[in-house]
Amino acid sequence: MCKVDRSEVKSSSRETAKKKRGSLEMGLKVFGEGRVEKLRNTMLPHSSRSRMKVWMIRATTTVLLWTCVVQLTALGETWGPRVLLGLPSCLSQESALLDDKVSAIPARVLPPKRVYKNNGYLMISCNGGLNQMRAAICDMVAIARHLNVTLIVPELDKTSFWADPSDFHDIFDVDHFITSLRDEVRILKELPPRLKMRVDQGLTFQMPPISWSDISYYQHQILPLIQKYKVVKLNRTDARLANNGQPLDLQKLRCRVNFRALRFTSQIEELGRRVIQLLRKNGPFLVLHLRYEMDMLAFSGCTQGCSDAETDELTTMRYAYPWWKEKRIDSVQKRKDGLCPLTPEETALTLRALGIDHNIQIYIAAGEIYGGERRMASLTKAYPGLVRKETLLEASDLRFFQNHSSQMAALDYLVSLESDIFVPTYDGNMAKVVEGHRRYLGFKKTILLDRRLLVELIDQYNAGALSWDEFSSTVKEAHANRMGNPLKRLVIPDRPKEEDYFYSNPYECLQPSDNPLSSI
């Protein structure tokens, strides 16, 4: 036998393996790259199935874990308090404190939406100052509810004497306004796009409603117009609904809008609270609505105590505004009739005669007093504790309110509501609306001055016909029952301007204090 060398055998084996691999590679090349790709593709489903199995395992595990957590939570709520009862635990104490804090936050429950067939859309453009517009908004909400129409968020007056550019949302909490009334009437921030386009093009019907109208006027005259045109815009909406003779549910809705739905913005509310806190630090305070600004004097024609130059300036201003209808005014006779605001000098005498404490804080809720420090001198001397929002707050606090008279008036409104005593020197819109709101808050002390009697007594005192004691005792006696006490409104048929204003005394809404406005 021939002897074979091992190295040759090994070498021969390696060559044979190389040939096999070579032939395999050649085979793959022969079969083409497509077969290789096919082979790879046959391997991919196996990989996908593996990943799917992993995902399913994870998902099942997650579900099981959550099920366990839920079960353990339920057991903890049942048995936890019993197990931990009497055992000191920082964790349990902290949890209890947290629960108390959370439970102390009242959950806001929205009233259910009222479902009704919509008869169309009502737009309103308010006119006048803040409180004139406020009352108009209350009226228009009640009218919209009665007519079963959709109300668009009111437009505020930007063209009056004050030229305030504020929109509704700059003064009032618009979302609260909409949601708090949704069980009565549907309110939208703007018209649906198709109708809005028509209004933007001027294709809408608009008119001023008749003043002091009964609700039947809106039912028979305004509703058909809304049904015909789909959208009606009412401009000049102040005092357009009668004070008396309206359905009780309509009167109560006017109250609900005024006292609950018309809430000021959080910025105004917060600043109002700060002013009230600053005043409360120094004890009780009186709010004096001293209506002695230039616009008021020009409009009323009251010039008592004014110089000739000031009288000419006020007269010129009155003639400059065409919508102020009364031009020629006898100031002396108007004052005797009690139709003029008290002057600062007359106000000082009146407060002293009423026995108002010399040291009480007096917050002036008004704009710039005409005549400035010269006219305020006697009032400041009699009551050195006079303050204004401008003296209580920093200039930076009022920066955003500058040139926004309605927002400034809103701040005064809040302070007036919270005061210990409220004294208006003229029965304008703010005086009337604040009076009614203070009645709703529990008949808070509001001194309603009899200006006709006061100017007569003041003239007699200044002329020496009355001593101080006689003057003071007569003033006190005359106002003993003019402190915002409960009473019914004075009704004068066919003379609504002369009768008591609904918003100054909404007695239909002033139910016993333990259940105010329970039916609203």
Side-chain angles (χ1 to χ4, degrees):
M1 294 180 68
C2 298
K3 191 175 180 179
V4 182
D5 191 1
R6 290 181 178 179
S7 60
E8 291 179 0
V9 174
K10 291 180 180 179
S11 176
S12 177
S13 299
R14 283 195 295 270
E15 288 179 3
T16 303
K18 286 180 181 180
K19 288 179 180 180
K20 288 182 178 180
R21 284 196 299 271
S23 60
L24 178 60
E25 290 174 1
M26 289 297 293
L28 289 172
K29 288 178 181 179
V30 171
F31 287 117
E33 294 178 357
R35 294 289 184 88
V36 175
E37 193 66 31
K38 185 177 180 180
L39 181 60
R40 289 174 182 170
N41 290 339
T42 58
M43 295 173 68
L44 285 176
H46 295 288
S47 175
S48 298
R49 284 195 293 271
S50 298
R51 285 197 296 270
M52 182 64 73
K53 288 179 181 179
V54 172
W55 183 87
M56 288 295 292
I57 291 169
R58 289 177 178 174
T60 304
T61 304
T62 302
V63 171
L64 290 172
L65 286 173
W66 274 111
T67 303
C68 292
V69 168
V70 171
Q71 294 295 329
L72 288 171
T73 303
L75 288 172
E77 291 176 354
T78 305
W79 294 101
R82 300 180 186 180
V83 173
L84 297 176
L85 186 63
L87 296 178
S89 170
C90 296
L91 180 61
S92 61
Q93 291 173 2
E94 291 175 1
S95 299
L97 289 172
L98 181 61
D99 290 341
D100 290 341
K101 289 180 181 179
V102 172
S103 62
I105 302 173
R108 186 185 177 194
V109 179
L110 298 178
K113 288 184 179 180
R114 176 172 170 257
V115 179
Y116 60 95
K117 180 183 177 182
N118 181 33
N119 287 322
Y121 296 85
L122 179 63
M123 301 179 67
I124 64 171
S125 179
C126 301
N127 59 292
L130 172 66
N131 294 285
Q132 189 173 338
M133 294 190 289
R134 182 186 185 105
I137 292 167
C138 298
D139 288 347
M140 293 299 135
V141 169
I143 291 167
R145 165 64 175 83
H146 188 82
L147 301 182
N148 285 332
V149 298
T150 296
L151 180 69
I152 306 304
V153 168
E155 297 175 5
L156 302 188
D157 192 347
K158 297 181 176 66
T159 61
S160 65
F161 168 80
W162 302 276
D164 187 337
S166 300
D167 289 314
F168 187 95
H169 66 266
D170 295 317
I171 299 173
F172 299 107
D173 184 337
V174 65
D175 292 324
H176 174 76
F177 176 70
I178 292 171
T179 56
S180 65
L181 292 169
R182 68 181 199 162
D183 60 330
E184 294 286 357
V185 63
R186 183 182 181 217
I187 303 175
L188 300 179
K189 292 182 180 179
E190 60 181 19
L191 285 166
R194 180 177 58 84
L195 295 175
K196 186 175 185 296
M197 186 181 299
R198 288 178 54 193
V199 172
D200 292 341
Q201 294 171 351
L203 303 176
T204 184
F205 183 86
Q206 53 183 311
M207 61 172 286
I210 297 174
S211 299
W212 309 109
S213 294
D214 188 82
I215 193 62
S216 61
Y217 161 79
Y218 293 93
Q219 183 71 39
H220 300 304
Q221 301 294 325
I222 303 300
L223 181 57
L225 294 173
I226 297 175
Q227 292 172 325
K228 178 180 178 180
Y229 295 103
K230 304 301 180 186
V231 181
V232 168
K233 183 175 183 179
L234 300 181
N235 47 43
R236 299 194 65 81
T237 53
D238 63 313
R240 304 295 152 157
L241 186 59
N243 293 313
N244 302 291
Q246 306 310 304
L248 182 60
D249 59 343
L250 185 143
Q251 299 287 65
K252 289 194 173 186
L253 181 54
R254 294 166 92 177
C255 292
R256 176 177 171 181
V257 180
N258 190 22
F259 302 141
R260 296 185 180 178
L262 286 177
R263 187 168 68 189
F264 295 122
T265 63
S266 57
Q267 183 183 21
I268 295 174
E269 295 269 354
E270 176 59 30
L271 199 56
R273 282 192 291 269
R274 283 183 56 192
V275 172
I276 294 164
Q277 288 171 359
L278 290 170
L279 289 166
R280 286 283 177 222
K281 285 181 180 178
N282 297 316
F285 67 95
L286 177 151
V287 166
L288 180 64
H289 184 41
L290 187 61
R291 198 70 172 92
Y292 206 76
E293 301 98 335
M294 184 178 184
D295 65 291
M296 181 71 248
L297 300 180
F299 172 77
S300 65
C302 298
T303 58
Q304 174 72 13
C306 294
S307 65
D308 291 340
E310 289 173 333
T311 300
D312 291 341
E313 182 181 37
L314 295 172
T315 303
T316 301
M317 181 180 180
R318 182 165 65 257
Y319 277 89
Y321 289 89
W323 52 86
W324 290 354
K325 296 180 181 180
E326 195 176 9
K327 301 300 183 183
R328 301 187 65 179
I329 300 173
D330 184 343
S331 176
V332 174
Q333 186 59 47
K334 196 166 186 177
R335 176 176 174 268
K336 287 182 178 179
D337 292 337
L339 300 177
C340 286
L342 293 184
T343 67
E345 296 87 355
E346 292 168 342
T347 302
L349 284 173
T350 300
L351 294 179
R352 287 177 56 208
L354 287 168
I356 301 298
D357 187 0
H358 170 78
N359 296 312
I360 194 171
Q361 297 175 98
I362 295 183
Y363 176 91
I364 304 293
E368 184 179 354
I369 302 303
Y370 190 63
E373 293 183 3
R374 176 179 67 84
R375 298 304 302 271
M376 291 292 290
S378 60
L379 185 59
T380 304
K381 182 179 179 180
Y383 293 94
L386 289 180
V387 294
R388 304 173 61 94
K389 48 187 170 290
E390 293 84 358
T391 60
L392 289 170
L393 298 170
E394 299 292 335
S396 58
D397 295 324
L398 294 171
R399 184 173 66 253
F400 296 106
F401 294 82
Q402 296 299 326
N403 302 318
H404 294 81
S405 60
S406 291
Q407 295 184 45
M408 287 287 201
L411 189 59
D412 285 343
Y413 187 95
L414 290 172
V415 180
S416 298
L417 289 184
E418 292 299 320
S419 65
D420 297 280
I421 308 173
F422 177 64
V423 183
T425 61
Y426 185 73
D427 54 355
N429 289 290
M430 178 173 172
K432 292 176 179 177
V433 178
V434 169
E435 175 193 344
H437 205 149
R438 286 173 66 86
R439 289 179 186 273
Y440 169 69
L441 294 174
F443 299 98
K444 301 178 75 172
K445 189 173 183 179
T446 303
I447 304 179
L448 306 173
L449 300 177
D450 185 343
R451 295 189 305 280
R452 183 172 183 174
L453 174 64
L454 282 171
V455 295
E456 181 182 352
L457 294 174
I458 288 170
D459 288 346
Q460 291 179 22
Y461 170 72
N462 287 334
L466 289 176
S467 67
W468 175 256
D469 289 340
E470 291 172 328
F471 172 67
S472 178
S473 62
T474 306
V475 170
K476 289 176 181 176
E477 183 180 352
H479 291 85
N481 294 319
R482 299 177 65 92
M483 301 288 177
N485 313 77
L487 74 162
K488 286 199 171 186
R489 288 191 303 275
L490 172 65
V491 179
I492 306 177
D494 301 324
R495 289 190 291 170
K497 289 185 178 180
E498 299 176 31
E499 66 184 8
D500 288 344
Y501 189 41
F502 172 80
Y503 292 101
S504 66
N505 183 17
Y507 67 80
E508 297 93 334
C509 310
L510 306 181
Q511 297 180 5
S513 58
D514 59 336
N515 191 21
L517 292 175
S518 60
S519 62
I520 291 182

